[in-house]
Amino acid sequence: MAASSRRNPPPLPGAENQDPLSEMAGEDSDEGEDIFVGNSNPVAEAFQPDTANGEEPADLFSEAETSTAVNSSITTSKSNGVHSDNENDLFAEVSVELSMENPSTTAKSSGAEFTPSLTLSATQPESMEQLEEEKDEDSFDMEVAVTNPEKIGDGMNAYMAYKVSTRTTLPMFRNRTFSVWRRFSDFLGLYEKLSVKHSLNGCIIPPPPEKSVVGMTKVKVGKDDSSSADFVERRRAALERYLQRVVCHPSLLQDPDVREFLERDELPRAVGTHTLSGAGFLKMINRASDAVSKMTIKISDSDAWFDNKLQEVESEELQLRKLHAVVDSLVNHRKELCGNTAVFAKSMAMLGNSEDNTALSRALSQLAEVEDKMETLHQEQAASDFFILAELLADYIRLLGAVRGCFEQRMKTWQRWQEAQSTLQKKREVEAKLLWANKPDKLQQAKEEITEWEGKVTQYERDFDRISVTVRKEFLRFEKQKSKDFKSQIVKYLESLLQSQQRHVKFWEAFLPEAKAIA
Amino acid sequence: KLCKQYFPVDILSKILSINVDLQTDATLQVDISDALSERDKVKFTVHTKSTLPNFKQNEFSVVRQHEEFIWLHDSFVENEEYAGYIIPPAPPRPDFDASREKLQKLGEGEGSMTKEEFTKMKQELEAEYLAIFKKTVAMHEVFLCRVAAHPVLRKDMNFHVFLEYNQDLSVRGKNKREKMEDFFKNVVKSADGVLVAGVKDVDDFFEHEKTFLLEYHNRVKDASSKSDRMIRSHKNAADDINRIASTLYTLGTQDSTDVCKFFLKVSELFEKTRKIEARVAADEDLKLADLLKYYLRESQAAKDLLYRRGRALVDYENANKALDKARAKNKDVLQAETSQQVCCQKFEKISESAKQELIDFKTRRVAAFRKNLVELAELELKHAKGNLQLLQSCVGVLKGDT
């Protein structure tokens, strides 16, 4: 978090920006979490190659002056590590190398439709080496949380509303902290919109949690038991992770729909997300046909990288599914263990009651209590197994599906290009024939068509190149995120196991003297 | 083909944990020094060391099968002389069916799993088989030791024949008709038992014991079955952790990235923790479940003793009434008197030894529970600490890496 920063404040007028800097300087080192200020300050990303040398800092950061936090780190050639100000050391760097070192590749990336306004560019470096060397950039000026599930309404028309709270210093939002109420279909609607807009570019759109008619019905009907509570909690956590992934994604965050989702008080009801609606059916059919076509497309790609990665993704997905199934089994067995332990504890207590040797009787009752405590431990452990491990795996299985979708999108683009090329070829053949047959007016038309298709071929080729770059970038970003996620979640899980064992030790240590006291 | 044919078993007597305060004196020491598992039977080598004059040698061994143990036990039960003693419960029949079935299924499913998985599972099933085997040997040994420790039963002729006669005892298992007879006998006995139990005893000690044993027996039965279920869940969870470890290993070997190395480390951790979890389940089985099972059988034997005494009491009271009637009619008085005398003697003999037996039973029970509960707590602690250490060091390494 507090990695050394090499941020040179741009030549903004007025020294008023210096003071907030020094304030932040003092605070940032220790309290990085609370203070969003000063971390990953946005860097203008979509430079045109010509302006890549930071010659227009003023234009791009005109918006910046309104926010005290923003002092973008446009790098000049000084960016190679020379700090001009001491305060800058305390601010985390934000992919400074990006804009300067690779003017050529930035041009292509502009196809990813970054708006010229400030963007987060946490992991945007273009060259392969930079992509892989980039330090973990996990500081964002953005925090979202999904909390307070509340049941609105009654009966079958009831629904759960969730509070979506955002805390940010990004200037594109009206306030720094704000919250809105959203329902599940709103989240799905957001996904649909983002999907439509961005999946064609090869972006990996985080998939939302799954619908569950059974689960929701229970909640609607008002079944007030632990399984409903579990379901709601599970959904809340999943929605939170979903949103966090969305806002983590630099280009998705820029999307006005995302902003609207986070900010706007009343959101129009998302249509087409209802399970049994016509749109729903249509989607199912489309997906089915997509699946068929996926199997038939195979790019004779000179770049084996994509093929290899796709294979990796597929095999990884397989393993994760397997793992998820086993973890599920573990959760069930632990719940079983929990139940059986409780029953056993009661039985032990009864036995202790009927035992007529007093010391033994007491020891047996104590054993019953220990087993009772074990039951609680098992229950917590099962929850841990589920919420930390199983859900992580489920999320990534879905995400890998989205990644595959990305690759498939690229394949489709390639196919379109190939088809255009073959159409062009045909048109040329037609022209040749017409030339030979000497029909001037048809010839004119043929020539026009050829020009048209030549243009298309060029366009599609460019599209393909562009999407290849995006997919590659997205994939590397995804891999990094995945690596981080898995590590942190698994460590969290192990820590929960650790705590459980510590309490284990305590309970049995308390029991041992009781057992020894039997006489 | 997957079942091991032979399990050498020399340290088994040390596993003996059920019965504690058995005075092992030099005059008669019995143990099972070896055991062989064949197709569907187990052959126990019963080894005796004795300074008693009854035996031809001071040290000798014979080979016995389960049916011969049962024959010995039944001969005690049917012997009127021993009506006043708690007959040590017969060892349960060696039951490898479940284990064998699992090994067979594994063999059939060999094609559908990787070589590592297969070897792992095979090792585990073999370990399970071995554990069951060890247990059945221990149960049979406990039975013999209890008999050898009992001041009266140890002198029994059948027992000596059992220990010494180095030929097959030709004790065939009961045929169908005999089993049916047994079944009906048991039905009659339990009906009778209910009647007898209904008779209020003048003696406070026995009345209390009756109520106590009845309740205790039922609760031990309950606790025993519930403990079995709990331990089975524990084993299942340990198995799951095993599979998680395997899958993580596969994931970890797909590449050499950071994440893959991470997976490998975690997989290793889970391998170790699940071994500990499996040990926890096994120890709970040994120290808790087996303890409860044993006292289920012993409390039944104690109940049987009370029943026999109750039966003798009823007979005695009936003989008294018959005598009164005979005296009143002045007919067959001598016969009635002798009959009453016999019943009286029988009853008093049983009562006397029964009291001591029941007191001993209590002492043994308390001692056995103490030993096992202490050992259980110590083992649980040891394993939890082991687990803790593994987790702490792994988390330390993982956090340090990232």
Side-chain angles (χ1 to χ4, degrees), chain B residues 253-304:
Chain B
T253 48
Q254 306 225 303
D255 208 342
S256 54
T257 58
D258 248 12
V259 151
C260 287
K261 290 195 199 116
F262 182 86
F263 282 150
L264 285 175
K265 288 207 189 103
V266 177
S267 162
E268 210 185 300
L269 170 73
F270 280 149
E271 258 303 319
K272 294 190 187 138
T273 57
R274 81 109 201 141
K275 282 208 178 89
I276 295 186
E277 285 299 320
R279 288 288 327 170
V280 169
D283 286 340
E284 282 176 352
D285 198 20
L286 223 55
K287 303 293 169 189
L288 202 50
D290 278 355
L291 176 72
L292 292 171
K293 275 198 204 79
Y294 187 79
Y295 277 95
L296 177 61
R297 295 203 306 276
E298 268 245 29
S299 58
Q300 181 61 47
K303 273 170 71 182
D304 288 344

Short mmCIF file of all heavy atoms in Angstrom, two decimals, chain B residues 253-304:
data_model
loop_
_atom_site.label_atom_id
_atom_site.label_comp_id
_atom_site.label_asym_id
_atom_site.label_seq_id
_atom_site.Cartn_x
_atom_site.Cartn_y
_atom_site.Cartn_z
N THR B 253 0.23 -28.55 -9.57
CA THR B 253 1.25 -29.08 -10.48
C THR B 253 1.00 -28.69 -11.93
O THR B 253 1.72 -29.12 -12.81
CB THR B 253 1.30 -30.62 -10.41
OG1 THR B 253 -0.02 -31.13 -10.51
CG2 THR B 253 1.91 -31.07 -9.10
N GLN B 254 -0.03 -27.86 -12.16
CA GLN B 254 -0.31 -27.53 -13.55
C GLN B 254 0.69 -26.52 -14.11
O GLN B 254 0.84 -26.39 -15.30
CB GLN B 254 -1.71 -26.92 -13.65
CG GLN B 254 -2.76 -27.81 -13.02
CD GLN B 254 -3.97 -27.93 -13.88
OE1 GLN B 254 -4.60 -26.95 -14.22
NE2 GLN B 254 -4.33 -29.14 -14.25
N ASP B 255 1.31 -25.79 -13.21
CA ASP B 255 2.18 -24.72 -13.68
C ASP B 255 3.19 -24.42 -12.59
O ASP B 255 3.15 -25.03 -11.51
CB ASP B 255 1.32 -23.48 -13.96
CG ASP B 255 1.94 -22.60 -15.03
OD1 ASP B 255 3.15 -22.75 -15.29
OD2 ASP B 255 1.21 -21.78 -15.60
N SER B 256 4.05 -23.47 -12.84
CA SER B 256 4.98 -23.16 -11.76
C SER B 256 4.85 -21.70 -11.32
O SER B 256 5.78 -21.09 -10.85
CB SER B 256 6.41 -23.44 -12.20
OG SER B 256 6.66 -22.74 -13.39
N THR B 257 3.62 -21.18 -11.49
CA THR B 257 3.43 -19.79 -11.06
C THR B 257 3.37 -19.72 -9.53
O THR B 257 3.32 -20.73 -8.85
CB THR B 257 2.10 -19.25 -11.60
OG1 THR B 257 1.06 -20.11 -11.12
CG2 THR B 257 2.10 -19.22 -13.11
N ASP B 258 3.36 -18.50 -9.07
CA ASP B 258 3.22 -18.24 -7.63
C ASP B 258 2.05 -18.99 -7.02
O ASP B 258 2.15 -19.64 -6.00
CB ASP B 258 2.96 -16.74 -7.46
CG ASP B 258 4.15 -16.09 -6.80
OD1 ASP B 258 5.20 -16.75 -6.71
OD2 ASP B 258 4.01 -14.95 -6.37
N VAL B 259 0.92 -18.81 -7.69
CA VAL B 259 -0.31 -19.40 -7.18
C VAL B 259 -0.18 -20.91 -7.09
O VAL B 259 -0.64 -21.54 -6.14
CB VAL B 259 -1.51 -19.01 -8.07
CG1 VAL B 259 -2.57 -20.07 -8.06
CG2 VAL B 259 -2.09 -17.72 -7.59
N CYS B 260 0.47 -21.50 -8.08
CA CYS B 260 0.60 -22.95 -8.06
C CYS B 260 1.48 -23.41 -6.90
O CYS B 260 1.16 -24.39 -6.22
CB CYS B 260 1.16 -23.44 -9.39
SG CYS B 260 -0.08 -23.32 -10.70
N LYS B 261 2.54 -22.68 -6.67
CA LYS B 261 3.39 -23.05 -5.52
C LYS B 261 2.58 -22.94 -4.23
O LYS B 261 2.70 -23.77 -3.33
CB LYS B 261 4.60 -22.12 -5.44
CG LYS B 261 5.58 -22.34 -6.55
CD LYS B 261 6.93 -21.68 -6.26
CE LYS B 261 7.72 -21.51 -7.55
NZ LYS B 261 7.96 -20.10 -7.88
N PHE B 262 1.79 -21.91 -4.19
CA PHE B 262 0.91 -21.69 -3.03
C PHE B 262 0.00 -22.90 -2.83
O PHE B 262 -0.13 -23.43 -1.73
CB PHE B 262 0.10 -20.43 -3.30
CG PHE B 262 -0.81 -20.02 -2.20
CD1 PHE B 262 -0.37 -19.25 -1.16
CD2 PHE B 262 -2.15 -20.40 -2.23
CE1 PHE B 262 -1.22 -18.85 -0.15
CE2 PHE B 262 -3.00 -20.02 -1.23
CZ PHE B 262 -2.54 -19.24 -0.19
N PHE B 263 -0.62 -23.33 -3.93
CA PHE B 263 -1.52 -24.48 -3.84
C PHE B 263 -0.79 -25.70 -3.32
O PHE B 263 -1.32 -26.47 -2.52
CB PHE B 263 -2.13 -24.80 -5.21
CG PHE B 263 -3.26 -23.89 -5.60
CD1 PHE B 263 -3.50 -23.60 -6.93
CD2 PHE B 263 -4.09 -23.32 -4.64
CE1 PHE B 263 -4.54 -22.76 -7.30
CE2 PHE B 263 -5.13 -22.48 -5.00
CZ PHE B 263 -5.35 -22.21 -6.33
N LEU B 264 0.44 -25.89 -3.80
CA LEU B 264 1.18 -27.06 -3.38
C LEU B 264 1.43 -27.04 -1.88
O LEU B 264 1.28 -28.06 -1.20
CB LEU B 264 2.51 -27.16 -4.13
CG LEU B 264 2.39 -27.62 -5.58
CD1 LEU B 264 3.74 -27.56 -6.28
CD2 LEU B 264 1.83 -29.03 -5.65
N LYS B 265 1.76 -25.86 -1.38
CA LYS B 265 2.02 -25.77 0.06
C LYS B 265 0.76 -26.08 0.85
O LYS B 265 0.78 -26.79 1.85
CB LYS B 265 2.52 -24.37 0.43
CG LYS B 265 3.91 -24.10 -0.03
CD LYS B 265 4.61 -23.07 0.86
CE LYS B 265 5.92 -22.66 0.24
NZ LYS B 265 5.86 -21.34 -0.41
N VAL B 266 -0.35 -25.50 0.40
CA VAL B 266 -1.61 -25.71 1.11
C VAL B 266 -2.01 -27.18 1.03
O VAL B 266 -2.51 -27.75 2.01
CB VAL B 266 -2.72 -24.80 0.55
CG1 VAL B 266 -4.03 -25.09 1.23
CG2 VAL B 266 -2.34 -23.36 0.74
N SER B 267 -1.77 -27.78 -0.13
CA SER B 267 -2.10 -29.19 -0.29
C SER B 267 -1.32 -30.03 0.72
O SER B 267 -1.87 -30.92 1.36
CB SER B 267 -1.78 -29.63 -1.73
OG SER B 267 -1.69 -31.02 -1.80
N GLU B 268 -0.04 -29.69 0.83
CA GLU B 268 0.79 -30.40 1.78
C GLU B 268 0.24 -30.27 3.20
O GLU B 268 0.15 -31.24 3.95
CB GLU B 268 2.18 -29.78 1.73
CG GLU B 268 3.32 -30.72 2.04
CD GLU B 268 4.63 -29.97 2.08
OE1 GLU B 268 4.98 -29.37 1.03
OE2 GLU B 268 5.25 -29.93 3.14
N LEU B 269 -0.15 -29.05 3.53
CA LEU B 269 -0.71 -28.80 4.87
C LEU B 269 -1.93 -29.67 5.11
O LEU B 269 -2.05 -30.32 6.15
CB LEU B 269 -1.08 -27.33 5.01
CG LEU B 269 -1.90 -27.00 6.26
CD1 LEU B 269 -1.03 -27.07 7.48
CD2 LEU B 269 -2.54 -25.63 6.14
N PHE B 270 -2.82 -29.68 4.13
CA PHE B 270 -4.05 -30.43 4.31
C PHE B 270 -3.78 -31.91 4.43
O PHE B 270 -4.45 -32.62 5.18
CB PHE B 270 -5.03 -30.16 3.16
CG PHE B 270 -5.78 -28.88 3.32
CD1 PHE B 270 -6.19 -28.16 2.21
CD2 PHE B 270 -6.10 -28.39 4.57
CE1 PHE B 270 -6.89 -26.98 2.35
CE2 PHE B 270 -6.80 -27.20 4.72
CZ PHE B 270 -7.19 -26.50 3.60
N GLU B 271 -2.80 -32.41 3.69
CA GLU B 271 -2.40 -33.81 3.82
C GLU B 271 -2.08 -34.11 5.28
O GLU B 271 -2.54 -35.11 5.83
CB GLU B 271 -1.13 -34.06 3.00
CG GLU B 271 -1.33 -34.75 1.68
CD GLU B 271 -2.03 -36.07 1.82
OE1 GLU B 271 -1.71 -36.84 2.75
OE2 GLU B 271 -2.90 -36.32 0.99
N LYS B 272 -1.29 -33.22 5.87
CA LYS B 272 -0.88 -33.48 7.24
C LYS B 272 -2.03 -33.33 8.23
O LYS B 272 -2.21 -34.15 9.12
CB LYS B 272 0.26 -32.52 7.63
CG LYS B 272 1.52 -32.77 6.85
CD LYS B 272 2.68 -31.97 7.42
CE LYS B 272 3.89 -32.10 6.51
NZ LYS B 272 4.58 -30.81 6.36
N THR B 273 -2.83 -32.26 8.04
CA THR B 273 -3.91 -32.06 9.02
C THR B 273 -4.93 -33.18 8.92
O THR B 273 -5.52 -33.58 9.92
CB THR B 273 -4.63 -30.71 8.84
OG1 THR B 273 -5.14 -30.64 7.52
CG2 THR B 273 -3.73 -29.55 9.12
N ARG B 274 -5.13 -33.69 7.71
CA ARG B 274 -6.18 -34.70 7.65
C ARG B 274 -5.69 -36.00 8.27
O ARG B 274 -6.47 -36.76 8.81
CB ARG B 274 -6.68 -34.90 6.24
CG ARG B 274 -5.90 -35.74 5.38
CD ARG B 274 -6.55 -37.08 5.09
NE ARG B 274 -5.48 -37.95 4.68
CZ ARG B 274 -5.40 -39.21 5.01
NH1 ARG B 274 -6.33 -39.76 5.72
NH2 ARG B 274 -4.38 -39.90 4.60
N LYS B 275 -4.37 -36.22 8.25
CA LYS B 275 -3.86 -37.40 8.95
C LYS B 275 -4.17 -37.26 10.43
O LYS B 275 -4.59 -38.22 11.08
CB LYS B 275 -2.35 -37.54 8.74
CG LYS B 275 -1.98 -38.10 7.41
CD LYS B 275 -0.65 -38.85 7.45
CE LYS B 275 -0.33 -39.43 6.09
NZ LYS B 275 0.42 -38.52 5.21
N ILE B 276 -3.97 -36.03 10.92
CA ILE B 276 -4.27 -35.80 12.34
C ILE B 276 -5.76 -35.97 12.61
O ILE B 276 -6.16 -36.60 13.58
CB ILE B 276 -3.80 -34.39 12.76
CG1 ILE B 276 -2.27 -34.32 12.66
CG2 ILE B 276 -4.24 -34.09 14.17
CD1 ILE B 276 -1.69 -33.04 13.19
N GLU B 277 -6.59 -35.42 11.74
CA GLU B 277 -8.03 -35.57 11.92
C GLU B 277 -8.43 -37.03 11.95
O GLU B 277 -9.27 -37.45 12.75
CB GLU B 277 -8.79 -34.88 10.78
CG GLU B 277 -8.82 -33.38 10.85
CD GLU B 277 -9.48 -32.84 12.10
OE1 GLU B 277 -10.52 -33.41 12.52
OE2 GLU B 277 -8.94 -31.89 12.67
N ALA B 278 -7.82 -37.82 11.05
CA ALA B 278 -8.14 -39.24 11.02
C ALA B 278 -7.72 -39.90 12.33
O ALA B 278 -8.43 -40.74 12.87
CB ALA B 278 -7.44 -39.91 9.84
N ARG B 279 -6.58 -39.48 12.86
CA ARG B 279 -6.13 -40.01 14.14
C ARG B 279 -7.09 -39.64 15.25
O ARG B 279 -7.37 -40.44 16.15
CB ARG B 279 -4.74 -39.45 14.51
CG ARG B 279 -3.57 -39.95 13.72
CD ARG B 279 -3.18 -41.34 14.02
NE ARG B 279 -3.41 -41.69 15.42
CZ ARG B 279 -3.33 -42.91 15.92
NH1 ARG B 279 -3.04 -43.89 15.13
NH2 ARG B 279 -3.56 -43.12 17.20
N VAL B 280 -7.58 -38.40 15.20
CA VAL B 280 -8.54 -37.97 16.23
C VAL B 280 -9.75 -38.88 16.21
O VAL B 280 -10.19 -39.38 17.25
CB VAL B 280 -8.96 -36.50 16.01
CG1 VAL B 280 -10.13 -36.15 16.90
CG2 VAL B 280 -7.81 -35.57 16.29
N ALA B 281 -10.27 -39.12 15.01
CA ALA B 281 -11.45 -39.98 14.90
C ALA B 281 -11.13 -41.38 15.40
O ALA B 281 -11.91 -41.99 16.13
CB ALA B 281 -11.93 -40.03 13.45
N ALA B 282 -9.94 -41.89 15.04
CA ALA B 282 -9.57 -43.23 15.47
C ALA B 282 -9.42 -43.30 16.98
O ALA B 282 -9.86 -44.26 17.62
CB ALA B 282 -8.26 -43.64 14.80
N ASP B 283 -8.81 -42.28 17.57
CA ASP B 283 -8.64 -42.29 19.03
C ASP B 283 -9.97 -42.17 19.74
O ASP B 283 -10.21 -42.83 20.75
CB ASP B 283 -7.69 -41.16 19.45
CG ASP B 283 -6.25 -41.49 19.10
OD1 ASP B 283 -5.96 -42.68 18.90
OD2 ASP B 283 -5.44 -40.55 19.01
N GLU B 284 -10.84 -41.32 19.21
CA GLU B 284 -12.17 -41.22 19.82
C GLU B 284 -12.86 -42.57 19.77
O GLU B 284 -13.56 -42.98 20.70
CB GLU B 284 -13.01 -40.18 19.09
CG GLU B 284 -12.65 -38.76 19.47
CD GLU B 284 -13.44 -37.73 18.67
OE1 GLU B 284 -14.14 -38.12 17.71
OE2 GLU B 284 -13.33 -36.54 18.99
N ASP B 285 -12.66 -43.24 18.65
CA ASP B 285 -13.26 -44.55 18.49
C ASP B 285 -12.78 -45.51 19.57
O ASP B 285 -13.54 -46.19 20.24
CB ASP B 285 -12.88 -45.09 17.10
CG ASP B 285 -13.78 -46.21 16.66
OD1 ASP B 285 -14.89 -46.32 17.22
OD2 ASP B 285 -13.38 -46.96 15.77
N LEU B 286 -11.46 -45.53 19.73
CA LEU B 286 -10.85 -46.45 20.67
C LEU B 286 -11.19 -46.11 22.11
O LEU B 286 -11.58 -46.97 22.90
CB LEU B 286 -9.33 -46.36 20.48
CG LEU B 286 -8.55 -47.67 20.49
CD1 LEU B 286 -9.11 -48.59 19.46
CD2 LEU B 286 -7.10 -47.38 20.20
N LYS B 287 -11.04 -44.83 22.46
CA LYS B 287 -11.16 -44.45 23.87
C LYS B 287 -12.59 -44.21 24.30
O LYS B 287 -12.93 -44.34 25.47
CB LYS B 287 -10.34 -43.19 24.16
CG LYS B 287 -8.88 -43.30 23.81
CD LYS B 287 -8.17 -44.29 24.68
CE LYS B 287 -6.78 -44.58 24.16
NZ LYS B 287 -6.15 -45.69 24.86
N LEU B 288 -13.42 -43.81 23.40
CA LEU B 288 -14.77 -43.46 23.79
C LEU B 288 -15.78 -44.49 23.31
O LEU B 288 -16.46 -45.13 24.11
CB LEU B 288 -15.10 -42.08 23.22
CG LEU B 288 -16.20 -41.30 23.89
CD1 LEU B 288 -16.01 -41.23 25.37
CD2 LEU B 288 -16.26 -39.89 23.31
N ALA B 289 -15.82 -44.68 21.98
CA ALA B 289 -16.83 -45.57 21.42
C ALA B 289 -16.65 -47.00 21.91
O ALA B 289 -17.61 -47.65 22.32
CB ALA B 289 -16.78 -45.52 19.90
N ASP B 290 -15.41 -47.48 21.89
CA ASP B 290 -15.17 -48.85 22.33
C ASP B 290 -15.48 -49.01 23.80
O ASP B 290 -16.02 -50.04 24.23
CB ASP B 290 -13.72 -49.24 22.06
CG ASP B 290 -13.51 -49.66 20.63
OD1 ASP B 290 -14.52 -49.74 19.89
OD2 ASP B 290 -12.36 -49.89 20.24
N LEU B 291 -15.12 -47.99 24.58
CA LEU B 291 -15.41 -48.02 26.01
C LEU B 291 -16.91 -48.18 26.25
O LEU B 291 -17.37 -49.03 27.01
CB LEU B 291 -14.91 -46.72 26.64
CG LEU B 291 -15.20 -46.51 28.12
CD1 LEU B 291 -14.33 -47.42 28.95
CD2 LEU B 291 -14.96 -45.08 28.50
N LEU B 292 -17.68 -47.35 25.55
CA LEU B 292 -19.13 -47.39 25.72
C LEU B 292 -19.68 -48.74 25.27
O LEU B 292 -20.55 -49.33 25.92
CB LEU B 292 -19.78 -46.26 24.94
CG LEU B 292 -19.48 -44.86 25.48
CD1 LEU B 292 -19.98 -43.79 24.53
CD2 LEU B 292 -20.12 -44.66 26.85
N LYS B 293 -19.15 -49.22 24.13
CA LYS B 293 -19.63 -50.52 23.63
C LYS B 293 -19.36 -51.61 24.65
O LYS B 293 -20.20 -52.47 24.90
CB LYS B 293 -18.92 -50.87 22.32
CG LYS B 293 -19.53 -50.28 21.10
CD LYS B 293 -19.05 -51.02 19.86
CE LYS B 293 -19.15 -50.15 18.62
NZ LYS B 293 -18.07 -49.18 18.48
N TYR B 294 -18.17 -51.57 25.22
CA TYR B 294 -17.82 -52.63 26.17
C TYR B 294 -18.73 -52.59 27.37
O TYR B 294 -19.21 -53.63 27.84
CB TYR B 294 -16.36 -52.50 26.59
CG TYR B 294 -15.96 -53.66 27.43
CD1 TYR B 294 -15.64 -54.88 26.84
CD2 TYR B 294 -15.96 -53.58 28.82
CE1 TYR B 294 -15.32 -55.97 27.62
CE2 TYR B 294 -15.64 -54.67 29.60
CZ TYR B 294 -15.32 -55.86 28.99
OH TYR B 294 -15.02 -56.96 29.76
N TYR B 295 -18.97 -51.37 27.87
CA TYR B 295 -19.82 -51.29 29.07
C TYR B 295 -21.27 -51.53 28.76
O TYR B 295 -22.06 -51.88 29.65
CB TYR B 295 -19.53 -50.02 29.87
CG TYR B 295 -18.35 -50.28 30.74
CD1 TYR B 295 -17.09 -49.93 30.32
CD2 TYR B 295 -18.48 -51.04 31.89
CE1 TYR B 295 -15.98 -50.28 31.07
CE2 TYR B 295 -17.39 -51.40 32.64
CZ TYR B 295 -16.13 -51.02 32.22
OH TYR B 295 -15.04 -51.40 32.94
N LEU B 296 -21.61 -51.40 27.51
CA LEU B 296 -22.94 -51.83 27.10
C LEU B 296 -23.06 -53.33 27.32
O LEU B 296 -24.03 -53.83 27.91
CB LEU B 296 -23.14 -51.49 25.63
CG LEU B 296 -24.44 -51.93 24.97
CD1 LEU B 296 -25.61 -51.27 25.67
CD2 LEU B 296 -24.44 -51.54 23.51
N ARG B 297 -22.04 -54.05 26.88
CA ARG B 297 -22.10 -55.51 27.01
C ARG B 297 -21.95 -55.94 28.47
O ARG B 297 -22.65 -56.85 28.93
CB ARG B 297 -21.01 -56.15 26.15
CG ARG B 297 -21.22 -55.92 24.66
CD ARG B 297 -20.52 -56.96 23.81
NE ARG B 297 -19.11 -57.10 24.12
CZ ARG B 297 -18.15 -56.35 23.64
NH1 ARG B 297 -18.46 -55.37 22.81
NH2 ARG B 297 -16.90 -56.56 23.98
N GLU B 298 -21.08 -55.29 29.19
CA GLU B 298 -20.88 -55.67 30.59
C GLU B 298 -22.11 -55.35 31.43
O GLU B 298 -22.47 -56.12 32.32
CB GLU B 298 -19.66 -54.95 31.19
CG GLU B 298 -18.41 -55.74 31.07
CD GLU B 298 -17.81 -56.16 32.41
OE1 GLU B 298 -18.57 -56.35 33.39
OE2 GLU B 298 -16.59 -56.30 32.47
N SER B 299 -22.72 -54.19 31.16
CA SER B 299 -23.91 -53.88 31.95
C SER B 299 -25.02 -54.87 31.62
O SER B 299 -25.82 -55.21 32.49
CB SER B 299 -24.36 -52.43 31.73
OG SER B 299 -24.63 -52.20 30.36
N GLN B 300 -25.04 -55.37 30.39
CA GLN B 300 -26.00 -56.41 30.07
C GLN B 300 -25.69 -57.66 30.87
O GLN B 300 -26.60 -58.31 31.42
CB GLN B 300 -25.96 -56.72 28.57
CG GLN B 300 -26.94 -57.78 28.11
CD GLN B 300 -28.38 -57.38 28.37
OE1 GLN B 300 -28.80 -56.27 28.08
NE2 GLN B 300 -29.15 -58.27 28.98
N ALA B 301 -24.42 -58.03 30.97
CA ALA B 301 -24.02 -59.20 31.75
C ALA B 301 -24.40 -59.02 33.22
O ALA B 301 -24.87 -59.96 33.88
CB ALA B 301 -22.52 -59.43 31.61
N ALA B 302 -24.25 -57.79 33.71
CA ALA B 302 -24.64 -57.52 35.10
C ALA B 302 -26.16 -57.64 35.26
O ALA B 302 -26.66 -58.19 36.25
CB ALA B 302 -24.18 -56.12 35.51
N LYS B 303 -26.87 -57.15 34.28
CA LYS B 303 -28.33 -57.28 34.30
C LYS B 303 -28.72 -58.75 34.31
O LYS B 303 -29.66 -59.16 35.01
CB LYS B 303 -28.96 -56.60 33.09
CG LYS B 303 -29.24 -55.12 33.30
CD LYS B 303 -29.64 -54.43 32.04
CE LYS B 303 -31.03 -54.84 31.58
NZ LYS B 303 -31.40 -54.19 30.31
N ASP B 304 -27.99 -59.53 33.49
CA ASP B 304 -28.28 -60.97 33.44
C ASP B 304 -28.10 -61.59 34.81
O ASP B 304 -28.89 -62.44 35.23
CB ASP B 304 -27.34 -61.66 32.44
CG ASP B 304 -27.69 -61.33 31.00
OD1 ASP B 304 -28.81 -60.83 30.78
OD2 ASP B 304 -26.85 -61.55 30.11
#
